[in-house]
Amino acid sequence: MSKMRFFALQELANRQPLEVSTPSNKLSDYYGSHVFDSKKMQEYLPKEAYKAVTDAIEKGTPISREMADLIANGMKSWAKSLNVTHYTHWFQPLTDGTAEKHDGFIEFGEDAEIIERFSGKLLVQQEPDASSFPNGGIRNTFEARGYTAWDVSSPAFVVDTTLCIPTIFISYTGEALDYKTPLLKALAAVDKAATEVCQLFDKNVTRVYTNLGWEQEYFLVDLALYNARPDLCLTGRTLMGHSSAKDQQLEDHYFGSIPPRVTAFMKELEIECHKLGIPVKTRHNEVAPNQFELAPIFENANLANDHNQLVMDLMKRIARKHKFAVLFHEKPYSGVNGSGKHNNWSLCTDTGVNLFAPGKNPKGNMLFLTFLVNVLMMVYKNQDLLRASIVSAGNSHRLGANEAPPAILSIFLGKQLSSILDEIARQISDSKMTSEEKTTLKLGIGRIPEILLDTTDRNRTSPFAFTGNRFEFRAAGSSANCAAAMIAINAAMANQLNEFKVSIDKLMEEGVGKDEAIFRILKETIIASEPIRFEGDGYSEQWRKEAARRGLTNICHVPEALMHYMDDQSCSVLIGERIFNETELACRLEVELEKYTMKVQIESRVLGDLAINHIVPTAVIYQNRLLENLRGLRETFSPEEYEELSADRKELVREISKRVTAIKTQVRDMTEARKVANHMENHKDKAFAYEKNVSPYLESIRDHIDHLEMEIDDEIWPLPKYRELLFTK
């Protein structure tokens, strides 16, 4: 056994769960203690400053510089009570994480004495370097200025000794360079569009809020084993590794008892989350060994997204304290379940109505059906945009395999709810409805609450499933920023609702009554969106054929899927609803293509290094042992006995030689393919070249290495194996 692997396993044997103590036995004593929430603002701000904040959140009223100074001073006073020494604008650039630059509360006073100060100017806006983050060519190195601006709707919080202020991030010329800016625009767009549709039913509705409940799946691996696997450290996934004889086939890990070390990690994570006002509620073992899930109570989508990004950062830091590394890659291990981040999405009015839940009367159910049917049409028309929002180098390994939905977008409603829609489509005639038809329709609508209560199931193979009072977008990857999917969904929903409202208004202008106009457009929409509804097994070959017959797309290659950001339909949504301008959208596509290219490039270089510098030398060492053994056999036995006894070893030497030669040849060819791709200046061409000419070598080289793992003496194999990575707690 290699020294690195030996010491990793030896260190692992001495692990013990850390003791974790709660600040109080009563959760409410410390929940939100590190958040500058409404309660803290009322305590630390003058009344006029507190009103300025609430007006900004609820009405979008600008905050004056005078009020900003008062807010900043109160925020600093609160932060100092938690021994804070620094502040930062916390933002979400187009990377796989968040960004922050810490500044101290230190300035020179009038007489050059040192004082602690935090002004409204520093609270509201700062200028980080915009050229050093992914920007799709919007900013050059010599044009570095960018701005972060305070997002007043997301409360400031304290981590360690730093006051973190959630912000947007834009370029000097105003283009968005982050996830939050377009998310806020998409949420505003769906608010406006949904409110106008709601007012067809209830004039009291003045706002529609988007709620998000994320479910974060992740793997834990012992830190010593993680450090002994360069591929895990550098790419987040194992680029080689033969499957363990036992993995998840017995299904004994799912919802099983949580190991003590993991429980200690989860306990500390939950305490820190609760201090930060993150309402994490559910924890459990997932299907694959050493795979787990964390889920919170639903929140406003913007805040929920901030919380998810914060949780991912907390998990990484707390995991290290417990001698774990947390893996967010969508497919860190071949052959077992990958990790997703299910986005549970719903729309709710300021009057307290969940628009994806049945009402208490036929009118309420018509409102529910109106939004349900528009979701069907939204997904049907924007399937390529939704797919583009969740594809990545990591997620491409997960989609369509082991508990992940396929790349084909479809919606599961449940058979009985689908039957109700079919019945409505049949009943509503193109001409004016009879009283009997209206009565039959209302009776059918009245049955909806009972149907959803008793028979609505969950289809785990559906990418976009209705689960009773929300839609669950299951295709998003575990490492993704929720905002990417939420931008696409909410912008597309706003676009669809606007078109629906225009159609209703047109019929009403022609003299058609409001109810009948709604019925007519609903029928048209139900019929038109029927191809997106599917109740069966999304994994089956029959569904792939049926989906193709229905005209649904099935795009499995990342660069090809990403290019659909520039489709006419996608542009009509993202540009038409003013989420992006043309420059921002083009640059966003370039960032995603470049991100894909760089990830495959890194994986290629890491695999090449491991193959040539770790695996091939180990194979040669073992091959030399076999050759030495063959020489001993030849010297010991007669020629006839030697031929009989040495046949298996000769075959193994031959097998190792062939695989070593194949590995060296393919690593060389992969390197050359990478060099050719690297000379391409166009990001699209480079991404397609990496997908077509470089990526296939990763699986081919891996196959040879995985066979060698089963042929070479375990004592000298250099890297921790799957059985060690997956079954050590």
Side-chain angles (χ1 to χ4, degrees), residues 605-618:
R605 294 180 64 183
V606 171
L607 179 60
D609 172 56
L610 289 176
I612 299 303
N613 296 314
H614 292 70
I615 305 304
V616 167
T618 301

Side-chain angles (χ1 to χ4, degrees), residues 323-343:
K323 304 300 181 184
F324 284 121
V326 62
L327 306 179
F328 292 122
H329 194 285
E330 286 75 13
K331 199 73 171 179
Y333 303 109
S334 178
V336 298
N337 276 21
S339 295
K341 175 148 46 190
H342 304 170
N343 282 211

Side-chain angles (χ1 to χ4, degrees), residues 292-506:
F292 308 94
E293 181 178 295
L294 177 73
I297 300 172
F298 287 33
E299 298 179 283
N300 173 275
N302 179 43
L303 181 59
N305 188 61
D306 283 358
H307 281 168
N308 180 249
Q309 290 296 296
L310 183 53
V311 162
M312 292 172 74
D313 184 59
L314 285 173
M315 290 173 81
K316 292 174 186 176
R317 296 192 292 111
I318 294 171
R320 287 191 170 270
K321 288 178 61 177
H322 293 260
K323 304 300 181 184
F324 284 121
V326 62
L327 306 179
F328 292 122
H329 194 285
E330 286 75 13
K331 199 73 171 179
Y333 303 109
S334 178
V336 298
N337 276 21
S339 295
K341 175 148 46 190
H342 304 170
N343 282 211
N344 293 279
W345 168 67
S346 62
L347 299 174
C348 298
T349 70
D350 57 353
T351 59
V353 175
N354 181 342
L355 295 171
F356 296 150
K360 297 179 180 179
N361 51 52
K363 182 180 178 181
N365 286 329
M366 277 304 298
L367 178 63
F368 159 70
L369 281 174
T370 295
F371 277 85
L372 180 81
V373 171
N374 275 287
V375 171
L376 294 176
M377 197 63 181
M378 177 272 288
V379 175
Y380 180 54
K381 288 166 55 178
N382 297 282
Q383 53 186 293
D384 292 336
L385 171 59
L386 297 190
R387 184 188 298 105
S389 75
I390 54 88
V391 295
S392 65
N395 213 18
S396 65
H397 297 288
R398 166 183 168 263
L399 291 178
N402 295 84
E403 287 293 312
I408 306 168
L409 264 291
S410 65
I411 292 183
F412 169 82
L413 293 179
K415 291 182 179 179
Q416 295 209 34
L417 186 53
S418 278
S419 296
I420 288 287
L421 295 186
D422 293 338
E423 183 180 340
I424 291 171
R426 285 195 303 270
Q427 288 177 348
I428 303 174
S429 60
D430 290 328
S431 59
K432 188 174 181 180
M433 288 190 300
T434 66
S435 298
E436 184 179 349
E437 285 175 323
K438 289 182 179 179
T439 300
T440 305
L441 175 63
K442 289 180 179 179
L443 287 174
I445 292 172
R447 288 164 38 217
I448 291 173
E450 178 184 347
I451 287 172
L452 296 186
L453 178 66
D454 295 336
T455 62
T456 299
D457 199 357
R458 297 184 69 188
N459 186 331
R460 299 184 68 82
T461 70
S462 174
F464 210 99
F466 178 67
T467 55
N469 60 2
R470 62 190 182 275
F471 283 90
E472 182 179 17
F473 192 24
R474 303 186 68 252
S478 54
S479 68
N481 189 312
C482 295
M486 285 293 103
I487 291 165
I489 289 173
N490 287 291
M493 189 62 178
N495 185 258
Q496 172 58 31
L497 290 171
N498 285 332
E499 291 185 3
F500 179 83
K501 180 65 164 51
V502 167
S503 299
I504 300 297
D505 290 344
K506 183 178 179 182

Side-chain angles (χ1 to χ4, degrees), residues 383-384 387 406-409 544 547-548 551-557 560:
Q383 53 186 293
D384 292 336
R387 184 188 298 105
I408 306 168
L409 264 291
R544 290 184 178 87
L552 303 181
T553 53
N554 182 17
I555 304 169
C556 300
H557 302 297
E560 182 184 355

Side-chain angles (χ1 to χ4, degrees), residues 82-270:
L82 295 174
N83 299 315
V84 164
T85 58
H86 290 70
Y87 65 91
T88 182
H89 274 199
W90 182 84
F91 58 101
Q92 301 169 34
L94 301 177
T95 61
D96 290 332
T98 57
E100 52 197 67
K101 180 189 72 171
H102 297 189
D103 288 304
F105 294 121
I106 180 171
E107 290 187 14
F108 281 117
E110 294 181 0
D111 298 321
E113 79 279 12
I114 292 296
I115 60 173
E116 289 185 313
R117 178 181 293 164
F118 183 48
S119 67
K121 179 180 178 181
L122 295 175
L123 166 65
V124 171
Q125 181 177 301
Q126 290 192 15
E127 296 182 20
D129 185 344
S131 69
S132 299
F133 292 101
N135 57 65
I138 289 178
R139 297 275 81 194
N140 295 310
T141 302
F142 59 87
E143 297 173 320
R145 180 173 288 181
Y147 294 114
T148 51
W150 179 28
D151 172 18
V152 68
S153 66
S154 188
F157 56 91
V158 168
V159 175
D160 294 332
T161 58
T162 303
L163 171 65
C164 301
I165 302 156
T167 60
I168 63 170
F169 180 40
I170 59 174
S171 73
Y172 175 68
T173 48
E175 292 92 356
L177 297 174
D178 66 342
Y179 285 104
K180 182 184 277 285
T181 304
L183 175 62
L184 291 172
K185 290 180 179 179
L187 297 178
V190 80
D191 170 20
K192 182 176 182 296
T195 298
E196 290 183 358
V197 172
C198 283
Q199 288 186 346
L200 292 171
F201 301 87
D202 183 358
K203 293 294 185 182
N204 293 318
V205 175
T206 60
R207 290 286 304 273
V208 172
Y209 301 98
T210 302
N211 290 332
L212 169 64
W214 44 264
E215 301 170 27
Q216 181 70 59
E217 295 177 344
Y218 62 97
F219 281 85
L220 290 175
V221 59
D222 186 84
L223 195 57
L225 297 176
Y226 174 82
N227 289 331
R229 289 286 308 221
D231 50 352
L232 273 180
C233 292
L234 298 176
T235 73
R237 75 179 182 110
T238 53
L239 299 175
M240 61 191 72
H242 197 282
S243 60
S244 172
K246 178 184 182 295
D247 45 52
Q248 66 182 48
Q249 63 266 55
L250 294 179
E251 299 178 338
D252 55 345
H253 190 258
Y254 192 48
F255 280 21
S257 60
I258 302 173
R261 278 183 64 205
V262 178
T263 300
F265 156 74
M266 289 178 168
K267 183 177 180 181
E268 183 169 358
L269 174 63
E270 289 177 351

